[in-house]
Each structure stands twice: as structure tokens, then as C-alpha cells.
Amino acid sequence: MTDRPTLDELTAGVPFARRHIGLTAADRQKMLSTVGYDSVDALLRAAVPASIWLDEPLDLPAAGTEASVTAELRAYAGRNKPMAQMIGLGYHDTITPPVIRRNVLENPSWYTAYTPYQPEISQGRLEALLTYQTMVEDLTGLPIANASLLDEATAAAEAMTLARRSSKAPKDAAFLVDSDVLPQTRAVVGTRADGLGIKLVDADLSAGLPDGDFFGVLVQYPGASGVVRDITDIVTQAHARQALVAVAADLLALTLLRTPGEFGADIAVGSSQRFGVPLMFGGPHAGYLSVRDGLQRMLPGRLVGVSKDADGAPAYRLALQTREQHIRREKATSNICTAQVLLANIAAFYAAWHGPEGLRLIAQRAHRYAAVLAAGLRNAGFQIEHESFFDTILVRTRGKAAHYVAAAAQRGINLRQAGDDLVGIACDETTTSERIAAVWSAFGVSDVDIAALDTATGDGLPEPLLRQSDYLRHEVFHSHRSETAMMRFLRGLAAKDYGLDRGMIPLGSCTMKLNAAVEMEPVSWPEFAGIHPLAPAEQTGGYAALVADLETWLAEATGYDAVSLQPNSGAQGELAGLLAIRAYHDANGDHHRDICLIPSSAHGTNAASAVMAGMKVVVVKCDDDGNVDLAHLRETLDKHRDDVAALMITYPSTHGVYEQAVAEVCAAVHDAGGQVYVDGANLNALLGVAKPGRFGGDVSHLNLHKTFCIPHGGGGPGVGPVAVRAHLADYLPGRGAVGPIAAAANGSAGILPISWAYLRLMGPDGLRAATGSAVLAANYLARRLSGHFPVLYSGTDGLVAHECILDLRPITKATGVTVDDVAKRLIDYGFHAPTMSFPVAGTLMVEPTESEDLAELDRFVAAMVAIKAEIDRVGAGEWPKDDNPLVNAPHTSATLAEDWSHPYDRQLAAFPAGVRPATKYWPPVRRIDGAYGDRNLVCSCPAPEAFED
């Protein structure tokens, strides 16, 4: 048998790339025929400028099999050493209820969903986020919370800028940070303050506020040292001096202690990590931020509110969307565009699973173990630093701190060394009597009757600070105590939503591609999930190797020299890159270079990030073809030649084309003394064919949650590493010249195995094939749909990159049918809408990704063609402009059961051509009234009676 496969070929089996890429060889040939090219390579060479074309293959490991890559990751995981983590400092071990781990964290219905900008098909995740907001509001005693932030440190930095905008203190007033704030929080706040030119003052606030003008105060409660203290005087003094008070509070502690709101605080921030979210070497974890009444319109990030649908029924949506960066741009109050939705949902469900009584028991358990631990050490002659504490104690060791920490490590327990004399020990949900005995043993204490000591030991919580108010009174926190009830609750929420598990999400600029199960599996492994971010290096060898691999591979794939994985969102990556540019100019004595040039088509976060980095935004026009207007760029560079710090450009462009002059644009900026920031949002169209670091980029951020397969999770987690040329390497976050941009050294390290596995499984050939398939799919859709909806921008030979913009403005002008109408009608056809009105109002930006097969692409084409036929019937007067399938979309099942008086039939409403009744997705609500929700802001769980009708 001359054609018999070799053993190696038989062992390898079907390459993973064939599983990831939806198109078969036959699909590609059919699509190439439609587009007019003989091969994918020919298509790419026609679309991509020859000046940036990459001739050599990527120098990456060859593709592995699913089995071999899983084995490699198992080996890396084995180099991590899970321990009993009693380090604390804002990170605590917790137990993820299996019903939540299996049905949410490991469920594609939850992790493949997109940000809920289409609320009618996002009611499940919006309800979960509203539950999260309600939980935070109740526990902090403040009436309004957002739908999560990236981590506790980021939340504190956002609180600082919120206070600056809201305070009536003098413009040159400083921000006051208590000395007992978590060190990682202080560091991130410092980075943000430096970018904005805000003066920070550090002080021990136990002695009161120092002299001077302050616009805000940040205090930790309980403190990083573990101490619990009354902050009434701090709040009173701060308010008397026109400063706002932000309290970084432990949510679990707030089940036992007076709330920030009861102290009169203006803002509360913190982390919800210990509510069922694994340690994950520091992330991803959902930070929280809540505010007093009057500050809600200053709130950063996303806010879920209750509005009503077309039938008047309550419905959830993102509220106050005018705060989003794509609208406010350089006037945005924050550059945050990503939340931590998946992790916030887990925390919310954890609270619903345990309820107020269960949470209180967990908090009491952590506190009682800490109290008994302290008593045993005190009885043995050790000095405990504080009389009042929640779950963390500081032990004086007569200069032997390192000895006792090492002795505990030998017993499988990590403690925190706080100098030569102090050891910090934090108890949590997982603490047991056996673990307490092991800690005593490390300190040379033995033969303690723990039960008797428990009976004889009082609490360490001050009586005046004990919480008296109720919390978590809403029915959602009392209705799901059995696993059956919780399982059905989670299933019911997921059934309301649309994720990649249902069908294509063709969102331009967002790259909603396959998140393969083999890539996702390691996230839940204890060797990755159970590692504290401050664990000793000898316990984290697997993470170190994985991070080193990823940094090397991402640098090679993009043409840069150094990479930091720390930024935990694309916006954070932008900020890190711009701070690096600013620090580089400062180091060269070019302090005056503070202008950031941004094309008019750019992502809204670009302008917001530039402002956060202390730069001034100057907009560069785009020409009629959607490219950077070279004449206007040169004119602008001439005008600001001595002051240009950077140009931010997205490539391929935000308009979805490969700009032919990109190398010329970069060279012009360099000639003016500026640096070039290439936004990596569209890297899905570049891997294997061009490298930003080679064609003129000095720095880029890379969206791992787009190009490298980390799931969007309903709006987070995201990871936005920053990659730089060699001259900027010393200015990466946390490496000296620029402070950290996230709380943990490696950001959301717990999900890095996903991108590691994707790169390892695809190999250089697979990555290039993915790029080719994405570009082919986009051009196929553009060609198929251009006769029905004009394609707004195209490049050489009428080609687009990995996405295309359909122009509905002429249709709207002629018929009154809007881009919103088409988006909502697509729901009836079983699709998530493309990106609406970005980057051009009145358009749809479509990105099919390489993961979809030809049948799904053709189904989308058929739906869009059918919708255009419906639009034509409106335009012809066959259906009234105010009563037709488009303006009434989406149609719910309840709608069909009502008396029908519309000029089109029920069949057309719910089962248009191509929609099979057996697989029909039914939206739970009709079209939602956004304006009503903003006028009548309700951002906590309404009573169940609101939904009875």
C-alpha cells in the first residue's frame, strides 16, 4: 500500500486547525469562485499591501495534537504547587460550588456570550448582573453599583477619578491614601494618578487627616494589616474639607461589619473574588464599585438597569450608555470598556446559592478560626498586633518571621512575611481545625485543645462596629437552596440568552470565534486555579514557563521585542502602551511631547486612553475611502511637529480594509519624532501575513479575548497584553519607569492557558490558515450582500479585510427602516446582530470569523437578503412604516398568542424563510425602550411582582 499513512500521521489524526476553522476545502473553493480568486494565498496577496507582506513563516512551534498539548499543559500545571493559601492581602481561597462551576464557568452558554448590547437576547446575563449589582449595593450599604470592574485596584483608581470629577475641593487638591491600603491597590492608583497629573499623599489615617487640600480619601476596611477600625472620624473630617471618601471593603466582612454606607462613605470598592471565584494566580476577578445617590451618572464601566419592552413588561438593559467611550471619546470619564461579567455572575450566583444566612456563616467561620488561631499563639507568648480583626492577624516573631513562614510552607501552608518581625495569617472559607493546628505547629505550639480554646475565646470584632442592618432580602437570594432549584435557575437564565452555542455572532471588530473546549479545560484545574498571586516563585514554575512561552510567541507573531501580559483588558493594554510612550519621551527629555493623533475612525477607547495617559487628542481625518487622510496627517504633523507623542492607528483599519499606505503613515510620524501605536483589535486579519512591529509599530496591545480565543464571557474576562519594540521594553507596566496597570503581576493569569493552548494547537501554518479563512469569509459575505446592502469601504480590487461595513443609510432615508430595525429582525431569523452604527452611524459592521462554516455564512446571507425584501415591501407601501415585521421585531412566543392585527401573518413574524420551528430561538422580551430606562433608572433587582403581568 504505497499511499498508507505513516505512524506519525496516524498518531496526529485530524489537525486541530481543521476543528477550529469552519470552512472545508470544498467550501473554500466555492467561496473563492464567488470572490474571484484561485486561492486563499492569491486573495491575501491582493488585499494585503506588498510593503508589509510577511514572506517567511512564523517561528513558532509546530502544531500539536489535542492530546499532546493537554499533556504539555498537565506537565506545566505539575510545576505549580497548590498549597493552603493563608497569605491574604485581598486574595482568599474559596469554594466554587460545583453546580456553579459546571453550569456557568464551564458552560459555553455563559462563556461564549457577548457584551449585552443587544438586550432582547441577553436577558439571562443581564438578570445575573443585576443580581450582582444588588448584592454589592446591599453589602456596601450604598444604593448604586456597577456591573463590575477589572479588579479591586482598578476600581480604586476609578474611584479616585470619580472623586476628582465630583469633589468641590480646590483644583490642585491631592488624593489621600491610607497607609493600610493593599499595596497592589496603592501601586495601581499611583500609576493612574501619575498619568493624570494627580498628586497622591500617603498617611496613617488612624491619627486623623493631615493638613492640606484633598479631593478624595481612600481607606481599607478591614485594613491590609487585618485591623478593623471605626472610620467615622475619617469620613466626617473628609466631608468637612469637601473631599469624597472611598472605602475599599471586603464583601464577606460586610456580612458582619457596619457598611461603608452606614459610615457615610461616598464610594465603596473592592473585589468579589472570595465569592466562589478561584484564586487563578491573581485573576480574572470581578472588582466592584458602588456609590451614594447623586454619583450614578459619574459611575465608570457598565450599569445594568430595568426598563420596559414594547408591551410594557419589565426588561433589563445596559443603562446610561452615553457614558460609553465610542460616544464620548476624549470626553469619556474612563477608558474602561470591559467588565468581568463571567466572574461577576459567578459571585452573584454564589450569593444566591448561600443566601444571607450562608454568607454570614462563612464569614463567622473565617473570623472564628482567626480568633482561635490568635488566641493559641497569644497563649504561647506571641504578640498579636491588633485586638480587632476580621479574618487576618499579624504576629510578632522577635525577628524570626522568615523562619516561621518557611516552617509553615513545609507543612503545605503559605503565610505572608511582612518584614523581619511580622507574619500575616489570613483565614477563609476553606480553613479547618487541622490547618490551624498545622500553623500552630509551625510556630512551635502543640497540644492545644481547639474546642476548649474556641469556647474560651471571644470575638475580635468591635461591638460598636457589628452590622445591625439586613441585607440580601430580595427573593433571588432565598429561592435556590437545593441543587435542583439552582440548576434549573441557571438553565432558565441561559435559555434566555444567545451565545456562540446557538449560532454565529457576526460582530465587526469583536471577533467572536470558537473557544475550543480543549483550550478551556485547564482553567478549572486546581494547579492553575488554586495558586495565590503572591505565592513564592518556587511554587509557580508552571505559570512562569507558560507566561514566558506566551510572551515569546506573541512577540514573534507580532514582530515586537517584548511583551507584558499584565493588562487585563484591551483598554488597559492601550493605557499601558501610551504610558510607555510617554515615559520614553520623558526619559529623552521630550516632556513637551503630549499630543496623541487619532484617526476619526478609531475605537473610542483610543481617545479615552490617551487622556488617561495625560495626552491631548488631535483628530486626523479619514478620506472618502475610509483611510487615514495622508494630506491632513502631514498638515497636522507639521502643525504639531515638536509636540507629537504618538499616533494611534488600528490595522487593518476600523473601516475593515487594509490601508495601502500604512507604512508611509508610520514613517511620517517617526519623522516628526513621534511613536506609532498600532491598535491590535483587528489582529485576526494579520497573523502569519504581516507584523505590526515590522511595518512601523512601536507598541500594540493584543486582544487575547478576540484573536487568541479567550471567551468574551458576556462582557469579560478580557486580556490585553502590550507588545513593544526594544526601545520601549523598559517602560512596560511594573518594570520600574511605569507602575503596574493591574493588581496582579500577570493580570488575568488564570485564563492564559487558553491562548497558550490555541497557539500551541494551531502552529504557524494553522494561524495563517485562520487569517486566510477569516478574510475569505468576510469578502464572501461582502460580495454576496453588496447587491442588497452597499459595502461602505473597500481596498484594492474592492476587497475588505476580515470584516465589512454594510451601509443602511440610503435604505433608512428611503424607507424609514433603521439599523436598529434590521438588528432586531435578525433575532427573529436566529442571529445576533452585527456591530451597529460603529464606526459609522447607520451601518452594520459584519465579521464572520474563521470558525463559521459555509452553511452558517449562507444562512446569514439568506436572512439578510430576506430582510432586504421585507424592507422593500415597506418602501413600496405594502406595509405601514409603523407596523411591519421590522419595526415590531423581535417577536416573542407570547406575541403570537395574542389577538393578531398586523398586516403580516404570524408565520412570517416568527418563522421567516430558513427558520426551523424545532430549533427556533425565542427572545424572552420584545424591543426594549432604552430612553425610558435612562429616565427611570432602576439598577437593583425589582420585586418579582413587577413581572407577574
Side-chain angles (χ1 to χ4, degrees):
M1 295 178 62
T2 58
D3 60 346
R4 184 177 62 197
T6 66
L7 280 174
D8 285 346
E9 291 170 334
L10 289 169
T11 302
V14 177
F16 174 80
R18 291 192 200 168
R19 307 293 193 195
H20 175 81
I21 298 171
L23 303 177
T24 66
D27 291 340
R28 286 192 290 272
Q29 287 307 123
K30 179 179 178 181
M31 294 164 68
L32 285 165
S33 176
T34 299
V35 176
Y37 288 86
D38 295 332
S39 66
V40 174
D41 186 71
L43 169 65
L44 287 172
R45 287 181 181 272
V48 179
S51 61
I52 70 170
W53 181 263
L54 182 67
D55 286 316
E56 71 273 14
L58 296 175
D59 184 15
L60 295 173
T65 66
E66 293 191 28
S68 68
V69 170
T70 298
E72 287 181 45
L73 274 173
R74 281 288 185 192
Y76 274 17
R79 293 167 64 181
N80 294 330
K81 187 176 181 181
M83 303 274 280
Q85 306 291 0
M86 302 185 77
I87 297 172
L89 276 190
Y91 301 98
H92 301 270
D93 217 342
T94 182
I95 297 170
T96 308
V99 65
I100 296 174
R101 185 185 68 242
R102 178 58 57 91
N103 290 288
V104 181
L105 179 61
E106 299 173 353
N107 184 346
S109 293
W110 289 95
Y111 66 70
T112 69
Y114 182 59
T115 305
Y117 290 133
Q118 294 290 335
E120 293 83 0
I121 55 176
S122 310
Q123 290 296 290
R125 78 198 81 139
L126 284 166
E127 182 175 337
L129 287 175
L130 199 74
T131 303
Y132 177 83
Q133 290 177 184
T134 303
M135 174 191 81
V136 171
E137 291 160 7
D138 280 9
L139 291 176
T140 62
L142 290 165
I144 302 145
N146 68 12
S148 79
L149 287 170
L150 302 175
D151 58 24
E152 178 168 347
T154 303
E158 293 291 332
M160 175 182 67
T161 57
L162 191 160
R164 175 66 280 181
R165 296 190 302 272
S166 307
S167 173
K168 297 179 181 178
K171 291 296 183 183
D172 60 350
F175 188 65
L176 183 58
V177 181
D178 184 47
S179 57
D180 208 17
V181 163
L182 294 172
Q184 66 269 24
T185 296
R186 170 59 181 83
V188 171
V189 169
T191 303
R192 183 70 64 88
D194 183 59
L196 294 171
I198 294 173
K199 178 184 177 182
L200 292 188
V201 173
D202 298 288
D204 179 359
L205 299 188
S206 62
L209 270 60
D211 295 333
D213 291 324
F214 305 102
F215 67 82
V217 178
L218 177 64
V219 60
Q220 195 86 33
Y221 176 74
S225 64
V227 66
V228 174
R229 57 181 169 172
D230 191 333
I231 60 173
T232 302
D233 289 345
I234 294 174
V235 175
T236 302
Q237 293 174 30
H239 285 169
R241 292 161 67 172
Q242 298 184 308
L244 275 67
V245 177
V247 179
D250 183 323
L251 286 181
L252 189 64
L254 294 182
T255 65
L256 303 178
L257 294 172
R258 280 177 60 190
T259 70
E262 289 168 333
F263 284 115
D266 305 282
I267 308 165
V269 299
S271 172
S272 57
Q273 177 266 315
R274 68 190 310 174
F275 278 34
V277 181
L279 287 163
M280 291 184 171
F281 203 39
H285 301 147
Y288 75 81
L289 191 152
S290 59
V291 296
R292 62 167 167 78
D293 192 36
L295 296 178
Q296 56 265 45
R297 294 184 184 271
M298 298 283 190
L299 205 61
R302 297 173 184 153
L303 181 70
V304 176
V306 183
S307 185
K308 62 180 182 179
D309 74 357
D311 290 330
Y316 308 111
R317 64 178 285 273
L318 291 180
L320 301 177
Q321 286 185 303
T322 54
R323 294 174 297 107
E324 289 294 324
Q325 287 75 28
H326 67 276
I327 297 172
R328 301 199 66 183
R329 302 176 71 84
E330 69 271 15
K331 294 183 176 62
T333 54
S334 166
N335 75 326
I336 297 297
C337 68
T338 307
Q340 294 282 22
V341 171
L342 186 64
L343 299 316
N345 288 343
I346 290 171
F349 296 143
Y350 178 93
W353 176 243
H354 289 291
E357 304 87 356
L359 292 181
R360 186 175 180 84
L361 284 173
I362 293 169
Q364 288 174 325
R365 170 180 177 165
H367 174 67
R368 285 303 303 163
Y369 273 119
V372 171
L373 172 64
L377 291 171
R378 193 182 291 113
N379 291 346
F382 289 93
Q383 179 183 341
I384 306 302
E385 190 73 355
H386 303 294
E387 291 296 324
S388 299
F389 52 83
F390 166 55
D391 63 359
T392 298
I393 62 171
L394 275 181
V395 186
R396 291 255 172 219
T397 64
R398 305 180 188 89
K400 298 176 65 177
H403 168 76
Y404 293 123
V405 168
Q410 292 174 355
R411 292 160 173 78
I413 300 169
N414 279 337
L415 307 181
R416 174 170 63 93
Q417 184 176 343
D420 293 335
D421 190 43
L422 289 171
V423 173
I425 312 173
C427 298
D428 57 46
E429 179 182 10
T430 69
T431 303
T432 62
S433 296
E434 290 77 16
R435 189 175 300 173
I436 295 299
V439 173
W440 281 331
S441 173
F443 279 83
V445 180
S446 59
D447 299 326
V448 179
D449 185 337
I450 192 168
L453 188 60
D454 179 26
T455 301
T457 301
D459 282 343
L461 298 174
E463 189 74 27
L465 298 185
L466 293 180
R467 180 165 189 159
Q468 304 299 325
S469 55
D470 290 335
Y471 50 90
L472 305 187
R473 290 167 293 181
H474 190 275
E475 185 179 354
V476 71
F477 301 109
H478 298 267
S479 302
H480 313 294
R481 288 295 175 275
S482 72
E483 182 160 338
T484 304
M486 177 58 77
M487 176 180 64
R488 291 172 181 166
F489 173 57
L490 298 176
R491 176 68 178 84
L493 293 180
K496 298 177 181 180
D497 278 11
Y498 189 103
L500 276 175
D501 58 327
R502 291 189 183 271
M504 182 167 68
I505 303 179
L507 285 152
S509 188
C510 292
T511 315
M512 297 294 296
K513 62 167 72 177
L514 171 71
N515 315 123
V518 67
E519 298 159 3
M520 299 293 295
E521 279 183 317
V523 171
S524 299
W525 294 351
E527 297 88 350
F528 285 127
I531 306 299
H532 195 287
L534 301 177
E538 59 268 22
Q539 298 175 13
T540 61
Y543 264 120
L546 186 145
V547 165
D549 284 348
L550 259 183
E551 289 179 348
T552 300
W553 297 346
L554 291 174
E556 163 61 20
T558 57
Y560 288 106
D561 301 302
V563 173
S564 168
L565 299 172
Q566 187 181 104
N568 47 14
S569 79
Q572 295 291 76
E574 288 178 7
L575 180 58
L578 292 170
L579 289 174
I581 289 173
R582 202 193 74 165
Y584 169 76
H585 286 310
D586 286 347
N588 290 332
D590 293 332
H591 307 287
H592 52 281
R593 289 194 176 273
D594 63 353
I595 287 179
C596 186
L597 306 180
I598 298 181
S600 59
S601 64
H603 293 89
T605 55
N606 287 177
S609 295
V611 172
M612 297 293 113
M615 297 182 184
K616 302 170 185 174
V617 173
V618 173
V619 176
V620 178
K621 296 177 183 176
C622 290
D623 61 23
D624 292 341
D625 295 323
N627 303 317
V628 172
D629 187 321
L630 284 173
H632 188 250
L633 173 64
R634 292 193 179 98
E635 176 187 322
T636 306
L637 286 171
D638 287 342
K639 182 178 180 181
H640 300 287
R641 181 164 295 272
D642 295 334
D643 300 317
V644 169
L647 166 78
M648 298 187 80
I649 183 173
T650 301
Y651 200 81
S653 79
T654 311
H655 289 140
V657 296
Y658 293 101
E659 294 191 36
Q660 294 297 307
V662 63
E664 188 177 348
V665 167
C666 296
V669 176
H670 287 150
D671 287 345
Q675 298 283 287
V676 176
Y677 185 106
V678 179
D679 187 316
N682 293 342
L683 198 64
N684 207 45
L686 289 183
L687 286 183
V689 300
K691 294 182 176 182
R694 291 272 193 90
F695 62 67
D698 297 291
V699 55
S700 291
H701 85 270
L702 320 174
N703 295 97
L704 299 195
H705 49 290
K706 294 183 180 181
T707 304
F708 297 97
C709 291
I710 286 176
H712 285 65
V719 180
V722 58
V724 297
R725 296 293 301 275
H727 65 281
L728 294 178
D730 289 341
Y731 307 106
L732 287 171
R735 298 193 183 183
V738 176
I741 206 79
N746 290 292
S748 293
I751 51 177
L752 295 178
I754 300 169
S755 294
W756 187 98
Y758 174 68
L759 283 159
R760 191 66 189 81
L761 288 160
M762 293 292 280
D765 296 337
L767 292 175
R768 192 176 187 283
T771 298
S773 295
V775 174
L776 174 59
N779 279 281
Y780 176 75
L781 289 187
R783 191 63 56 91
R784 290 286 311 275
L785 292 173
S786 60
H788 306 274
F789 302 92
V791 175
L792 186 56
Y793 297 113
S794 60
T796 304
D797 294 339
L799 296 173
V800 298
H802 64 313
E803 59 194 9
C804 62
I805 297 177
L806 306 179
D807 192 358
L808 272 68
R809 292 173 299 180
I811 292 171
T812 300
K813 185 176 181 181
T815 66
V817 175
T818 68
V819 66
D820 288 70
D821 297 329
V822 174
K824 305 310 179 186
R825 183 60 172 151
L826 273 168
I827 297 172
D828 290 331
Y829 281 84
F831 283 101
H832 194 294
T835 302
M836 295 195 315
S837 291
F838 175 80
V840 180
T843 66
L844 291 174
M845 185 158 62
V846 183
E847 182 181 350
T849 85
E850 72 272 13
S851 297
E852 301 298 340
D853 59 26
L854 181 56
E856 188 72 352
L857 299 180
D858 284 342
R859 188 171 77 89
F860 179 74
V861 169
M864 291 296 290
V865 171
I867 287 172
K868 179 55 167 60
E870 293 176 353
I871 294 172
D872 291 342
R873 295 174 73 175
V874 176
E878 183 176 340
W879 291 325
K881 290 186 177 182
D882 62 351
D883 190 7
N884 58 69
L886 293 122
V887 299
N888 292 332
H891 297 83
T892 63
S893 57
T895 304
L896 305 189
E898 299 169 355
D899 291 337
W900 194 262
S901 58
H902 302 293
Y904 55 96
D905 61 32
R906 289 181 172 89
Q907 179 74 24
L908 180 64
F911 302 108
V915 176
R916 293 182 294 164
T919 57
K920 165 77 176 177
Y921 167 73
W922 291 102
V925 296
R926 295 188 63 198
R927 195 175 308 193
I928 295 171
D929 187 338
Y932 174 88
D934 282 348
R935 290 192 307 269
N936 303 275
L937 190 62
V938 177
C939 38
S940 59
C941 293
E945 293 77 25
F947 297 88
E948 286 184 350
D949 293 338

